[in-house]
Amino acid sequence: MQTLRTVAELRTRVRGWKQDGRQVGVVPTMGALHEGHLSLVRAAKRGCDRVIVTIFVNPTQFNNAEDLAKYPRTEEADAAMLAAEGVDILFAPAPEEVYPAGFATGVAVQGVTAPLEGALRPGHFEGVATVVAKLFGMTQANRAYFGQKDWQQLQVVKRMVADLNIAIEVVGCDTIREADGLAMSSRNVRLDALSRAQAPGLYKVMGKVAAAIKGGADVAAVLAQGREDLRQAGFTEVDYLDLRSAAMLEPMTTLDQPARLLAAAWIGGVRLIDNIAV
Ligand code: PAF
């Protein structure tokens, strides 16, 4: 595996692959890799001839300087994992390579970015869409692999690709969970022992809520009870626990189209997000 830092080097390598008719896959990440990321890499290896993993802690998608500073950075360990998976290129550019002086362009996706994470983290999805569009342009990949754990992000990327006619196939891959149900996340390392023990409560409560909704119970009442159950399970704050249409993320009060139950809640000072199909 080669680690590249500049767009020029990346372009040269990819051009050679494309001339040889190779299909190129990209897995965009912010590093601090875990099994969830590796499952995306494995999907990319199965679906493509060459695989690029990008590691870039994108400053424009953080709306809190402390969160950006605290984001785990473990490039050496990440690189070792990726090499063991047979990744061809690790692209890990410096911030100046991605956002050179004078950078003045942003990608603003409307609609699907408005609720949930978009409402709570102003500017977040513009940062995500902008950097993902740039990474697609830089890598010229044929396929891009994203985890369904960031469900809203996946819908935003799909919308952007459709709207901007970007020639890439976006592949959404299943959420990978710990044995106790906690969705894998780079943020989990920040959980202390008690919070780590309580954190699987999120998935458990969501499972109960989804089952009740599928069983025909009143959606608003079940969601209210679910939020209360999360507080009882040790979550100090529930940003949302909501039933939304799967693609557009519009509020739903009855189960009359494909739906997703999405949640964001705080435990031990760490914000966890998760979602499941209903
Ligand atoms: O999901 C992430 O890790 C990031 O939001 C992404 C897609 C790599 C963009 O910075």
Side-chain angles (χ1 to χ4, degrees), residues 27-31 37 40 54-62 71 99 124-125 127-129 131-132 135 145-147 150 153 157 186:
V27 182
T29 83
M30 297 204 299
H37 296 109
L40 303 180
T54 68
I55 295 184
F56 180 63
V57 182
N58 175 34
T60 64
Q61 70 186 76
F62 287 81
Y71 202 84
Y99 298 111
H124 169 69
F125 283 125
V128 170
V131 82
V132 169
L135 292 170
Y145 295 78
F146 292 86
D150 293 296
Q153 168 174 282
V157 171
S186 304

Side-chain angles (χ1 to χ4, degrees), residues 39-56:
S39 74
L40 303 180
V41 170
R42 288 170 198 146
K45 291 278 298 174
R46 286 193 298 275
C48 307
D49 305 311
R50 295 287 181 270
V51 173
I52 303 169
V53 175
T54 68
I55 295 184
F56 180 63

Side-chain angles (χ1 to χ4, degrees), residues 71-96:
Y71 202 84
R73 287 163 173 85
T74 56
E75 192 189 303
E76 215 177 299
D78 293 346
M81 285 189 228
L82 297 175
E85 295 293 330
V87 166
D88 298 284
I89 287 178
L90 164 58
F91 180 57
E96 314 77 70

